[in-house]
Amino acid sequence: MNVLILGIGNILFQDEGIGAHFIHYLDEKYEFESKDSTVSIVDGGTLAQRLIPEIVKYDEVIVVDCIDADNSKPGDVYFFDYHKAPSHINWQGSAHEVEMLQTLNMIDMNKDLPQTNVLGVIPKRVADDTTFELSKEIISAVKLMEDVVVKHLDTLDIKTKIKNETTIEHIAQVSFKRDIINGPKI
């Protein structure tokens, strides 16, 4: 099985960039091991529709992005199957030019969408100021986000091994200049 962990977000708009920062965090911290599967990590930024040719190559996709949800607060974390998204989840209103939800809908209409799960987090600050800094609520959410991904990969018989200790605060300051080596180039 080929698995894609796809980070979405505009890193210039504070918490809006958590998807992109988070996948750089995973790439820096972990090695992924499996006899039968591969894991690719891709910073999708705000590419949306330009990601379609990449997404359809995989058997499973984990999309990491900001979301909104009824009765939620900043830092709340959600993990759900794209096809079974809870009705209280809203993926509209982020700072992306074309929403990732719309991109997934287009792929799904063509019956090309792999199994897709969404790891969503509620942002606190979006576009208040141009900065790479994340709110304390998002920083606190990263541990749960990390645990969710590690546990999900374990269900796919993909083991994670820590190779470097790092923090999301550090990664948020350098992710714009990191080049992920284990993922495909878009």
Side-chain angles (χ1 to χ4, degrees), residues 14-15 26 47 74 79 90 130 132 144 179:
Q14 301 154 336
D15 294 348
L26 291 177
L47 294 174
F79 187 67
N90 179 0
T130 302
F132 298 131
L144 178 56
D179 188 20

Side-chain angles (χ1 to χ4, degrees), residues 106 109 148 169 185:
M106 285 186 270
M109 284 177 18
V148 166
E169 297 95 326
K185 303 299 174 229

Side-chain angles (χ1 to χ4, degrees), residues 78-184:
Y78 297 85
F79 187 67
F80 55 91
D81 181 320
Y82 160 82
H83 284 111
K84 299 175 186 169
S87 61
H88 66 281
I89 300 288
N90 179 0
W91 216 351
Q92 304 300 318
S94 72
H96 314 324
E97 265 185 49
V98 176
E99 296 294 330
M100 194 63 210
L101 175 60
Q102 294 166 333
T103 300
L104 295 176
N105 287 339
M106 285 186 270
I107 300 170
D108 197 35
M109 284 177 18
N110 287 326
K111 308 285 188 237
D112 288 333
L113 187 68
Q115 170 59 42
T116 301
N117 290 295
V118 177
L119 176 61
V121 62
I122 307 296
K124 179 174 185 179
R125 301 178 307 166
V126 176
D128 292 339
D129 193 15
T130 302
T131 179
F132 298 131
E133 292 181 20
L134 301 170
S135 68
K136 66 179 175 39
E137 291 84 354
I138 291 296
I139 292 167
S140 295
V142 167
K143 177 65 176 137
L144 178 56
M145 294 170 68
E146 183 178 348
D147 290 345
V148 166
V149 170
V150 168
K151 287 177 184 170
H152 183 69
L153 291 175
D154 191 51
T155 67
L156 303 174
D157 291 324
I158 299 170
K159 304 301 176 205
T160 53
K161 178 181 167 189
I162 295 175
K163 63 179 180 178
N164 293 312
E165 288 295 339
T166 190
T167 65
I168 195 67
E169 297 95 326
H170 168 72
I171 294 297
Q173 297 300 313
V174 299
S175 65
F176 72 94
K177 56 186 168 183
R178 287 187 83 250
D179 188 20
I180 294 179
I181 295 171
N182 73 345

